[in-house]
Amino acid sequence: MKKKVLSVLLASTMVASLAACGSSDDAVSESTSAATSTSAAASSEDTAEAYNLTEINCVVNGTLTATEDNGQAEFVEQWEAAVSEILGHDITLNITQLDHSGYVDAVGRLFVSGDLPDVMIMSADMFKQYAPTGLLWDMADAYDNAEFQNRLNLTGINEGLKDSEGHLYGFAPAYGNGCVTYVKQTWLDAVGIDINDVTTFEDYYNMLLAFHNGDPDGNGVDGDTYGVIASGYIGSEAPWINYLPEFWQDAYPSLVQDDDGVWYDGFQTEETKAAIERIKQGVADGAIDPDTLTASTKIAREKWFSNDQTGSEGAFTYWAGTWYQTLTDNFIKNGVDAELAQLAPIEEVGAYLNREAPVWVIIDDGDGDDSREQAIFDAFIDTMMDGDVVQTLWTYGAEDVHWSIHAEEFTTNPGTDSATTYSYEEGEFHLKQSPNDSNSVWKKNAMDPALVVSPLTNGYTDTSELAVVGNEFFTDNCVDAPVSPSCDAWTEYSGEIISARTEAISKVVRTDNSITVDQAMEEYVAAVGAYIDEALEQLNAQ
């Protein structure tokens, strides 16, 4: 990784800010101040040769499905070969894959250490925090002159990422997507509920209670199951409420704009207080699995589709589209009835939230010369959307590892009632068995083919019927999430603010009744109220 020299002031202030949640400080030393990109994008070959780019160090989270034990080495090998052919010289790709649930914290520690990669992926909320710091390269000129420009069909996604002065500090290869609530059909049948009759929070809550108080898993015991599980009572990044939308309803517990464009703290509202009370009651009643307090996304989903449904849950709100198929496949693999119902947004929710798109960013080395950063853009981002070989790698993974066009036949879950045989002719594009799980068919790599801003041009597509249905269901029932805040104070203090929110909710929800929601809110304001006021002042002055 490229070592950047950070000032003592920057390092110390960032450590204080990032200790809670991995947020970057807005102070930037002279050595890390980014120069505005002024050079027009040169050709990929000329720019790369001018800088002599030999390697790219990349930091990713779980967005890259090709993990170390799931074909990442083959993905990297094929990426290097394809990019070498495009650029005319070799480039080594080094991937550091961090835990998905702890990604915000881990990235924050990277920035504190100064041992930074060349390129990394960021959520929209992280991007809003880091974009003003000067640590990210302005790729506006490179983007405007990119080879893929003539193939873009969703131009508004990245145009919307440009700031008021036209700077572009990150690239989104796809739109954001969001979560929908999935419900086990066999559990609905067991408790005698029709998913189409669940239209209000009262209906939804009664469904969760039926899952907890009855015997939906059919093991002969009442009360050993729960209604719903999530990864935390509140999310660790925007849009915050997407894993328990029915409980949050009209609350949005972050800095948010009203209808007149005025920023305010949505966490301090009566709507948020009511949502916390609903969550507290849900945990006390068994409607919400208590494991929600500490569960990661991985733990939550694996408990939901576990082969032992005792202690599991009937409902789970998770990502739409491809995940509809992935979740179904995991039920099949575990020998559990796989039919899932998608719950239309209840009246109090109105619509699911389409998150702001995650982005790829390039770290600016602060030397005032854009040739290195332009070479990284050409080799990494421009090729990512080439419509052919490299884009296929990012979309589906490595050839003959994750997908193939050669004739083959294989069976998943052989010898069981869930056995499925797949047969393909020579030349027919298809997904293969997952490298680390022969009973699962591979789905995608880092980009969902249904969400990309520029489509593949080679005709390769393998989107399952369930994924198509899931995407259509989500797009028919979603609205865009509120815009994330972006100002110096939010960048500096968001770590403390986010931690204070989580702590306040956890204290109220605890079953020992140690603190009321009003008392928790008072403690929250005492801890971070000054930071919030400073951020709101800056946001409303923009």
Side-chain angles (χ1 to χ4, degrees), residues 26 30 83 107 149 164 191 221 226 229 264 325 365 376 457 529:
D26 64 309
E30 288 183 3
V83 171
V107 169
Q149 275 289 340
S164 59
V191 298
V221 179
Y226 296 99
I229 191 169
Y264 65 97
Q325 183 67 63
D365 60 15
I376 295 169
T457 59

Side-chain angles (χ1 to χ4, degrees), residues 10 14 23-29 32-36 111 122-138 161-165 167-170 361-362 364 484-492 494 538-539 542:
L10 175 61
M14 288 181 76
S23 170
S24 166
D25 192 275
D26 64 309
V28 182
S29 66
T32 58
S33 297
T36 301
F111 276 94
M122 287 185 172
S123 68
D125 191 59
M126 293 172 65
F127 173 62
K128 292 288 183 68
Q129 295 176 49
Y130 286 104
T133 65
L135 293 166
L136 309 184
W137 183 60
D138 176 14
L161 292 175
K162 292 181 178 179
D163 66 17
S164 59
E165 297 179 347
H167 303 305
L168 180 66
Y169 295 105
V361 301
I362 296 172
D364 195 318
S484 297
S486 177
C487 67
D488 291 345
W490 176 250
T491 298
E492 183 172 356
S494 60
Q538 292 180 11
L539 289 166
Q542 292 176 355

Side-chain angles (χ1 to χ4, degrees), residues 385-406:
M385 310 307 297
D386 72 346
D388 195 8
V389 178
V390 183
Q391 187 169 339
T392 301
L393 285 166
W394 286 108
T395 304
Y396 292 116
E399 184 175 6
D400 294 328
V401 177
H402 302 110
W403 60 272
S404 180
I405 57 172
H406 299 301

Side-chain angles (χ1 to χ4, degrees), residues 474-485:
F474 177 72
T475 54
D476 288 344
N477 291 284
C478 77
V479 294
D480 287 341
V483 174
S484 297

Side-chain angles (χ1 to χ4, degrees), residues 505-517:
I505 296 170
S506 299
K507 283 185 175 181
V508 175
V509 173
R510 283 168 49 186
T511 55
D512 59 9
N513 297 314
S514 61
I515 191 172
T516 68
V517 68

Side-chain angles (χ1 to χ4, degrees), residues 121-393:
I121 195 167
M122 287 185 172
S123 68
D125 191 59
M126 293 172 65
F127 173 62
K128 292 288 183 68
Q129 295 176 49
Y130 286 104
T133 65
L135 293 166
L136 309 184
W137 183 60
D138 176 14
M139 60 178 71
D141 285 344
Y143 170 77
D144 290 341
N145 292 279
E147 189 275 336
F148 59 70
Q149 275 289 340
N150 63 352
R151 292 190 301 278
L152 289 180
N153 59 2
L154 293 176
T155 56
I157 303 298
N158 285 285
E159 290 298 326
L161 292 175
K162 292 181 178 179
D163 66 17
S164 59
E165 297 179 347
H167 303 305
L168 180 66
Y169 295 105
F171 171 74
Y175 70 82
N177 200 15
C179 296
V180 301
T181 298
Y182 301 99
V183 185
K184 295 170 181 173
Q185 185 61 51
T186 54
W187 285 36
L188 287 167
D189 295 340
V191 298
I193 294 177
D194 186 334
I195 193 69
N196 296 312
D197 293 333
V198 182
T199 61
T200 66
F201 182 72
E202 182 180 8
D203 298 333
Y204 173 78
Y205 199 77
N206 286 335
M207 178 186 73
L208 300 186
L209 290 180
F211 290 157
H212 174 61
N213 296 325
D215 180 28
D217 63 337
N219 70 347
V221 179
D222 293 341
D224 64 348
T225 48
Y226 296 99
V228 65
I229 191 169
S231 176
Y233 302 132
I234 185 173
S236 61
E237 60 186 30
W240 312 111
I241 63 174
N242 53 327
Y243 292 139
L244 281 175
E246 292 82 8
F247 284 87
W248 284 102
Q249 297 182 11
D250 54 352
Y252 197 76
S254 185
L255 304 192
V256 67
Q257 290 174 294
D258 64 17
D259 293 339
D260 296 322
V262 178
W263 288 88
Y264 65 97
D265 182 13
F267 191 79
Q268 298 183 50
T269 63
E270 293 302 315
E271 289 82 1
T272 289
K273 291 180 182 180
I276 296 173
E277 293 284 13
R278 281 190 292 270
I279 293 171
K280 177 181 176 65
Q281 191 63 50
V283 173
D285 291 344
I288 298 176
D289 188 330
D291 285 349
T292 294
L293 174 64
T294 58
S296 65
T297 53
K298 183 176 186 293
I299 289 173
R301 65 176 182 256
E302 289 184 351
K303 186 176 183 185
W304 188 58
F305 55 60
S306 171
N307 57 2
D308 181 5
Q309 289 287 285
T310 302
S312 188
E313 313 79 16
F316 182 54
T317 305
Y318 210 60
W319 299 103
T322 300
W323 272 102
Y324 190 8
Q325 183 67 63
T326 302
L327 294 170
T328 299
D329 289 347
N330 276 283
F331 278 106
I332 294 172
K333 180 181 69 175
N334 289 331
V336 180
D337 190 283
E339 186 177 358
L340 300 177
Q342 296 184 101
L343 177 66
I346 60 174
E347 291 179 10
E348 293 86 349
V349 171
Y352 294 116
L353 293 180
N354 177 44
R355 66 172 176 172
E356 296 175 274
V359 301
W360 290 97
V361 301
I362 296 172
I363 305 303
D364 195 318
D365 60 15
D367 66 357
D369 181 352
D370 293 331
S371 61
R372 166 187 164 272
E373 292 84 355
Q374 178 69 56
I376 295 169
F377 181 95
D378 294 338
F380 192 88
I381 292 179
D382 206 353
T383 64
M384 180 184 288
M385 310 307 297
D386 72 346
D388 195 8
V389 178
V390 183
Q391 187 169 339
T392 301
L393 285 166

